[in-house]
Amino acid sequence: MQVKKIRIDKFLVHIGYGSRSEVHKLIKEKRVTLNDKIIHKPDMHLIIEESKVCVDGGQAVYQEFYYYVLNKPQGVITATEDKRYRTVMDLLLPIDQRKSLAPVGRLDKDTEGLLILTNDGKLTHELLSPKKHVDKVYYAKIRGMITLQDVKQFEEGIILEDGTSYRSSKLEILHAGDISEIYVTISEGKFHQVKRMVMSVGKEVIYLKRIKMGALELPEDLNIGEYRQLTELELKLLKGEKQGDRTL
Ligand code: URA
C-alpha cells in the first residue's frame, strides 16, 4: 500500500479548517495536536493513515474526496458564489463550505431536489459527460393536459425552433388534467431542458424537482434544504457500480 504523506497545514485546509493563514494561526495558538502532541510547525509532515490530528481536542478526519447530497430548495442558485443571489454553498456548514466542493450539474433557481456536491472532478466529469448518458429523473407539475401524443413526441426526440435538439426521453404520465403530473427521464443536461421540452408540446412547467440521478434516488430522510454525505451504497449507485432495487 502506498503511504500518503501530507503537510499538516495542507491536511487541515483540505478538511475545511480555513485558509492556509487561518490554519497557521490555529497552529500558532497551539490548538492543533498530532498523536496527542502539540504541533508547532505548519510544514510538519504526517502519514494520513497513521496519524491522529485534533483541533481544540476534536479529531480532524481526513477524506480525499467528499460526496454530499443536497435536497435543493427553490430560491438558491446552483453556483459556488454569486454577488446577487444566495447559492447552494450558503446552505452548508462553514467547515463544508471550505472543502472546495462544486455542484455536479445545475438546477434552475426555482427547481428543487437532488444535487450532488463533490471535490471529485473525475466523477463530476463522468456524470456530466454527454457520452455517458447518465439518466436524470424529474418530477414535474405542469399547466395543461398531458397526452399520449406528448409521450410519443418525447420518445421521438424534440427539435426546437432555435435549432436546439433533445434526444429521445421518457415521459410518464402520473396524472392528466388541467394541472398534470409527470416524470421525465433525460440523459442530457441542457439549459432549462425539461421546461423547454414541455413548452415545445404547448404546456408549462409550474413545479420541478429532480428525484434521481443514475441509480441514486433523492434520499427520503432529506428534507428540503438539508444535506449529508452519501453512504457507500449511495455512492456506488451514483457511480453506476450498483443497480437500484426499484425503478421510478
Ligand atoms: N430542466 C429544467 O428545465 N430545469 C432544471 O433545473 C433541470 C432540468
Side-chain angles (χ1 to χ4, degrees), residues 123-172:
L123 180 67
T124 299
H125 176 75
E126 279 171 10
L127 291 171
L128 297 182
S129 163
K131 287 190 208 127
K132 302 274 175 179
H133 296 246
V134 175
D135 281 346
K136 273 86 55 182
V137 184
Y138 293 84
Y139 163 82
K141 267 192 192 156
I142 62 174
R143 199 185 317 279
M145 175 80 76
I146 203 81
T147 65
L148 290 175
Q149 179 58 35
D150 299 335
V151 174
K152 195 159 162 271
Q153 186 66 66
F154 273 50
E155 202 181 325
E156 281 169 6
I158 291 169
I159 301 179
L160 302 183
E161 277 177 13
D162 69 1
T164 308
S165 66
Y166 303 117
R167 281 202 284 257
S168 169
S169 59
K170 188 165 144 200
L171 168 59
E172 291 162 87

Side-chain angles (χ1 to χ4, degrees), residues 106-111 138 186 190-196 205 208 210:
R106 207 174 272 257
L107 292 178
D108 296 337
K109 188 163 166 244
D110 58 358
T111 302
Y138 293 84
I186 55 175
K190 294 184 178 169
F191 183 62
H192 294 336
Q193 181 161 348
V194 174
K195 290 176 187 162
R196 297 186 80 194
V205 170
L208 190 60
R210 181 155 66 196

Side-chain angles (χ1 to χ4, degrees), residues 20-70:
R20 218 175 159 96
S21 59
E22 285 164 338
V23 163
H24 285 192
K25 193 161 168 267
L26 287 177
I27 293 171
K28 217 168 168 189
E29 290 168 355
K30 301 190 172 61
R31 292 163 65 187
V32 182
T33 58
L34 171 60
N35 299 333
D36 301 322
K37 291 204 179 74
I38 290 174
I39 291 294
H40 298 281
K41 289 189 177 151
D43 62 354
M44 172 144 198
H45 281 75
L46 58 88
I47 298 169
I48 293 174
E49 291 82 9
E50 294 172 8
S51 310
K52 182 178 151 212
V53 177
C54 292
V55 178
D56 295 332
Q59 192 166 352
V61 181
Y62 186 93
Q63 269 174 247
E64 185 175 8
F65 295 118
Y66 297 96
Y67 305 94
Y68 291 94
V69 54
L70 166 72

